[in-house]
Amino acid sequence: MSGRDLVRSMKAVGSAGAAQGLRTVRASWRRRRADASGLPARGPERARVPGLVREALPGPGGGTLRFSRSELRIRVAVNGAVFWGWDGAEPEPSYALAGPCPEGDPRAVLEPDKDGGWRVVAERVTVVVSRHGAVEVRTPGGVVLRRDLPPRWWEQQQGGAARWMQRSEVAADARFFGLGGRASGPRLRDGTYRLWNTDPGRAFGPGHDPLHLTMPVQLVVADAGTHLVFHDTSWDGTVVLREGEEGAGSGHDRPGACEVRMDGGPLRRWVIVGTPARVLLAWASLTGAPAVPPAWALGHHHARRGFDGEQEVRRIVAGYQEHGLPLDAVHLDVDHYDEHQVFTVDQDRFPKLSVLAEELRRDGIRLVSVVDPAVRSAPGGAVYDGGVAEDAFVRDASGRLVEGVGRPGESVFPDFTHVRVRQWWGGLHAERLEQGFAGFWHDRDEPTSFAAFGESTLPRSARHSLEGRGGDHREAHNVYGLCMARAAYEGLRRLDPEQRPFVVSRSGWAGLQRYGGAWSGEVGTGWPGLRASLSLVMGLGLCGVPYSGPDVGGFDGGPSPELYLRRLQLGAYLPLFRTHARGRGGGREPWEFGAEVLEHARGVLVERRRLMPYFVTLAHLARRTGAPYVRPVWWGSPGNRALRDCEDAFLLGDCLLVAPVLEPGADRRTVRLPRGRWYDTATDRAYEGPGQVLVDAPASRIPVLARAGAVLPVRGDDGGLELEVWAPARGRTGGGLVVRDAGGGGEEPQIERYVSRWEGLRVVVEREGEDGVQVPSHPVRVRGLGER
């Protein structure tokens, strides 16, 4: 137990109560003792590098290069992604991949290169390997996007997991993005980023790292092109980034640098080259199409910590209805559980939960339940007894159940890396569905202690199934939340196949999008937390998780009316839009901030409901293309350096540019525009890009601009679908896609394609189909006609 852990333990004694705090201290000591006896001692190590290439063996999509002290396998898949693994590492098994590894591209051939090296030439990428083991990724035109130096391993002489390091170089103008949910960003500047899912134990902001959902996924954007790099290893590690500098040192460029260090696991990676859209499409084909949330989940959610009971829930819902505020879901925190705090309801405060759920559903409001993985270690509890009978809980190296401190107190934890345990856990959701719950949000699934120390509540020596391969928590920790999400998603699909599951997780790993989305965790309430909220959503989207969002209102303290409103305005344009309140007898509902804020909040919530058809369209397009709802402004023009450095605005799909207010006291702000004409949706004023403009941002709204020619599906005044069309520039056409939700099940919706163009003095909107051009079947409203 480190000194930092001891300090946090003492804080826990004061903040969480003496009994809970002391349990946390004892649990930490138990973890240390378990690791001391359960993990092999790290003895003398020897360093190793690949050596010189000795032999080349062609194979599907590439082949194998044998060096004097290692071997490298390269495969270009049919989707254009490139895999390579050292020391015989293969693409499988992998928690990231959605299925079997794609077949190799038969057109990609391993052939000799100069100076004794080898290369694999494919349609979209060329991979060149030097005779010493350096690997270069080049565009088809021969421009180097990334150069990996020969890797290095540190092997224990007594055997065991080897540490390894990989250094890489990128272009001097390159910018780094990704690595999961990071509070600092979305552009990742020089620094060290840890790859270990962590509860920081307090409200976090841009200066805190790591957080709940890390991924070894980088997106690198440069003038020469965009590429994604994924190190498929779930062990603890660090990534050190250093941006390059042009003209550094006697007029020469200093390349950007990346250093990845891992405590174990295979040294293997995937690289995808292309435009941002093409890269994310190939990434989704590897790791799985994003799950489409049910339509109601794209509306407004409200969570509250401190519901006294059913009547308190009704009171809050009535407040929304009385003030004319749209509401689509209510999230119940741990207050609705009994002392076991997992799946078992407090019958005193929530005696008729199914009746409450039915009342809310009649008003179009769904009920969502929080779920922690911690199961109270107490015989007599239904979940605990069932888990013991199923042998579902994590054990230590000697075979004893591992106990940690969760919200219920002394707790045990399911081993979600075992298929049988996932099936058992998924089946437990049957009672939740019978009680009327329509969705689930996972908390403390890193897993973390009640008073988090920045480490897992499970010792690193704890044993896991890892799909029958066997291993310990060092490998299982980062994928624990991913496997828990899988258990819930697959269980809900079995129990109610007619409905799309709603699952959002605080933790996870690469591939989480297959099972749902992510919520931010305890982001700070202040202005820095507002900026961190945008960074988290954008970073996760670039790593393949398009559905995510922060808790509007933040976690700690109380926001000012101005800050609350600015957070609400940002959240309304993010995929998961969830307001959050804390405390009994008063919270952060909009009417708590006065009449002016209430009026502005009503406008925000009404606008979100109006845009629901557009969010539904983006959700279905994300499943088909992997493109996130929230995209950086450089998405369509990554070669624009000014846009690459823009971090305070984003594109919502192809049609809207959203510029949130991130500083106090601002009533105007500058907006960096991509190429083309853009309309201020509040005033219809037109602006020409690329360039920077100054736009009004009064308290009532944030700047939102529509792309000229855009066709947006929106909710009309009668509740039906309407097409909002923004006039294209003269001599140009525009368009848009509309995906109408086919229901809650697995029905495949049809994509409607629309084109907008000038015909004389009017704008014409036509639907393109297999039978030719047709008149739209929805009402059309054209805007921007005053600006030609």
Side-chain angles (χ1 to χ4, degrees), residues 699-717:
S700 59
R701 60 180 173 85
I702 57 176
V704 178
L705 296 98
R707 190 189 300 271
V711 178
L712 275 80
V714 298
R715 182 185 176 113
D717 294 338

Side-chain angles (χ1 to χ4, degrees), residues 503-710:
V503 179
V504 290
S505 303
R506 190 171 80 168
S507 185
W509 204 60
L512 177 66
Q513 73 278 359
R514 300 192 296 265
Y515 314 118
W519 66 285
S520 66
E522 297 164 352
V523 63
T525 299
W527 290 94
L530 176 59
R531 189 175 291 272
S533 298
L534 177 57
S535 172
L536 287 161
V537 174
M538 199 175 299
L540 287 172
L542 295 177
C543 290
V545 181
Y547 183 79
S548 68
D551 278 346
V552 173
F555 175 73
D556 57 323
S560 67
E562 179 194 12
L563 177 55
Y564 175 82
L565 196 55
R566 294 309 193 188
R567 295 191 73 117
L568 192 71
Q569 291 164 345
L570 169 62
Y573 293 96
L574 300 180
L576 173 60
F577 178 33
R578 187 175 89 158
T579 50
H580 187 265
R582 303 185 73 223
R584 295 180 172 87
R588 297 176 185 158
E589 286 76 26
W591 54 89
E592 300 282 350
F593 292 90
E596 183 179 2
V597 171
L598 175 61
E599 183 63 25
H600 295 333
R602 183 181 298 110
V604 171
L605 297 179
V606 169
E607 178 64 7
R608 173 62 180 234
R609 176 152 291 186
R610 193 181 76 92
L611 290 175
M612 282 272 285
Y614 186 50
F615 276 94
V616 168
T617 294
L618 294 178
H620 284 282
L621 292 179
R623 187 184 70 81
R624 290 172 179 247
T625 68
Y629 312 21
V630 170
R631 307 167 188 177
V633 292
W634 48 258
W635 178 260
S637 50
N640 186 322
R641 296 192 180 188
L643 294 180
R644 284 210 299 262
D645 293 338
C646 177
E647 301 180 272
D648 60 356
F650 61 91
L651 298 175
L652 183 60
D654 285 331
C655 298
L656 297 178
L657 190 156
V658 182
V661 174
L662 304 176
E663 303 291 342
D667 58 4
R668 306 185 80 188
R669 62 150 293 175
T670 57
V671 180
R672 178 73 64 176
L673 298 178
R675 182 181 300 275
R677 174 174 291 183
W678 296 85
Y679 296 96
D680 186 327
T681 58
T683 65
D684 283 19
R685 179 178 176 182
Y687 299 93
E688 296 294 334
Q692 186 169 281
V693 297
L694 185 63
V695 183
D696 290 336
S700 59
R701 60 180 173 85
I702 57 176
V704 178
L705 296 98
R707 190 189 300 271

Side-chain angles (χ1 to χ4, degrees), residues 248-280:
S250 301
H252 296 288
D253 291 348
R254 187 191 72 190
C258 171
E259 178 184 286
V260 178
R261 290 177 177 264
M262 289 289 186
D263 286 348
L267 203 173
R268 58 183 181 179
R269 64 165 53 181
W270 288 90
V271 175
I272 305 172
V273 174
T275 64
R278 186 183 293 274
V279 165
L280 268 294

